[in-house]
Structures are given as structure tokens and as C-alpha cells.
Amino acid sequence: MGGHAAGEVASEMAVEMVSHQLADLNELQSGDSHKRVATALRAANRAVFERTRTERDKLGMGSTVSALLLSETRYLVGHVGDSRIYLVRDGQMRQLTKDHSLVQEQVDAGLLTPEQARRHPQSNVITRCIGMADDIDPDVFDGEARVGDSFLLASDGLTGMVDDRRIQQLLLSRAKPERIVDALIQEANVNGGNDNITAVVVRVLGAQANGTDRDITPIPPPPASAHG
């Protein structure tokens, strides 16, 4: 976010630093796993913030980060900004992360409904991100991972353009994750596509499922209104 290509620089820096620092974090139930994720996000924040101070053309750049780590039985999330992580389990979808945004604060205060927030003119104003200040307070939490779970990591360029019900419908299909991602991005573009769109779908499979690489059901067709 911010200043033409500078936002891409910030996001690339964040991805490189966080993935490098967490590359060997495999035991998600260890006592320091939460601390390591928070430390990695803070380090990325400091690096981006310092660059905005030393390079004039990078002033105002920043990035959201939503990181998902998986072990055999646990997931661990590190989050700052308004990108989102959803979990689909037993036919139900829930948003794991909470947006660090102006409209989310108004929803929490009872001043806006979630639907009003979605269409609010300030829906893209975020209150926390990588590079905004010299320090950040990231959200870090964990939970149980089960066979059959599906996770979606997505920027607001997707979630602001595609309705949650449609996202859930696609994630519940048994199509390959890459086909679901293609369908989500295509629909976001059809519906306006006025922001960068990032999406990753992760499906938790049992060991016996290794090697299955085929669609079990086709992608559900979009609702008629998506074409209008």
C-alpha cells in the first residue's frame, strides 16, 4: 500500500523477512512460537519504517501481513492490517483475523453493521500496518488444525469485492485450491477489481490423500448478479 510501486517494495520486504525468520519454526506448541512470530512481524515493520525515513520516494509505503503456519495438529496466525484469514470447517466459514481498520473499530463500537462497513467510503483506512510507525502490536494466536480444514488468506482487494457467502461456496467445493483461487480473483475483477488482489487457499489433507490431484466437483457457477 502507498505510493505506486513502493507498496510492492514494502510487501516484498515483509514476505522475505517474515518467511526467513520463521523458516525453521516447526513446533507451534512450543512456548516461544507466539513470541517468534510477533518478533518477526516487528522486525519487518522496523525495516520498512526505516526505509520510509531514508528514501524519499518510499514515504508512506506499507504492507498488511497475514501469516499462517501449520503443523500436524495446530495452526498459528500472525496478523497486522486488513488482509484476512478465513477457516472453513464442517461446512461453516469463520473469519479468524480481525481487521485493523477504522470501520472495524466502528463495528466493534456498535456504530456500523458489518454490511455498512463493507460499503463505507473509508473502508480502506487501516489503523495498523507494516511500516506505519516505529513499532506495531501484531495479533498472534493459534488453534487446532483438523483434516478437512480449508484456509483462505486474502487481501482486501478480494474480500472487498467478493461476498463472504460466495467465498464460502467456493471454499466448500472440492475443486483444486488453485482453481478456487483463479475463480475468486476472476470474480473480484468482474465485480470491480479496483485494488491489488492476493489469495492463497490451503487445504489440510490426511496422509492417505497424498497424490490426489484432481477436481472432485467443478467450481460452482457465480450468481447471476456477479455478471451484472
Side-chain angles (χ1 to χ4, degrees):
M1 41 161 282
H4 302 291
E8 296 176 16
V9 173
S11 61
E12 184 177 349
M13 289 175 65
V15 168
E16 287 183 358
M17 290 196 67
V18 172
S19 58
H20 176 73
Q21 293 202 20
L22 301 180
D24 63 345
L25 179 55
N26 298 312
E27 181 45 69
L28 302 188
Q29 289 181 285
S30 64
D32 69 343
S33 58
H34 284 227
K35 183 178 179 180
R36 284 193 58 185
V37 171
T39 298
L41 291 173
R42 286 194 169 102
N45 175 75
R46 273 194 305 275
V48 172
F49 181 71
E50 287 301 321
R51 194 159 174 184
T52 66
R53 298 206 308 176
T54 57
E55 299 182 33
R56 185 179 295 272
D57 63 327
K58 304 295 190 297
L59 185 65
M61 77 171 179
S63 178
T64 64
V65 172
S66 290
L68 173 69
L69 292 88
L70 283 166
S71 67
E72 288 187 1
T73 59
R74 305 295 295 175
Y75 67 79
L76 182 59
V77 168
H79 168 72
V80 59
D82 64 349
S83 293
R84 294 178 178 176
I85 299 179
Y86 293 86
L87 168 62
V88 173
R89 174 182 290 167
D90 299 331
Q92 301 296 316
M93 183 176 80
R94 63 187 177 100
Q95 184 179 329
L96 295 179
T97 55
K98 177 177 279 193
D99 295 350
H100 297 144
S101 67
L102 187 63
V103 293
Q104 182 60 51
E105 290 180 356
Q106 293 179 314
V107 169
D108 292 344
L111 301 175
L112 291 176
T113 67
E115 186 58 31
Q116 289 171 330
R118 183 185 183 88
R119 307 187 187 288
H120 197 279
Q122 292 182 300
S123 61
N124 62 342
V125 177
I126 60 179
T127 54
R128 264 185 268 177
C129 75
I130 298 291
M132 180 181 285
D134 61 353
D135 195 16
I136 55 167
D137 183 21
D139 294 340
V140 182
F141 56 89
D142 62 11
E144 179 189 9
R146 300 180 188 172
V147 171
D149 286 350
S150 291
F151 295 88
L152 170 67
L153 294 78
S155 66
D156 68 331
L158 175 68
T159 57
M161 291 286 126
V162 183
D163 185 86
D164 277 6
R165 289 169 295 182
R166 177 59 176 160
I167 292 174
Q168 179 174 340
Q169 183 186 30
L170 286 167
L171 290 174
L172 285 171
S173 77
R174 300 299 299 276
K176 289 186 289 188
E178 57 264 36
R179 282 175 52 85
I180 296 173
V181 167
D182 289 344
L184 286 167
I185 291 175
Q186 180 180 6
E187 291 192 26
N189 282 320
V190 166
N191 293 342
N194 58 7
D195 201 351
N196 293 333
I197 304 166
T198 300
V200 178
V201 172
V202 179
R203 189 170 283 154
V204 181
L205 303 175
Q208 70 278 9
N210 288 344
T212 60
D213 187 28
R214 62 188 178 87
D215 289 355
I216 300 174
T217 60
I219 290 287
S225 61
H227 297 296

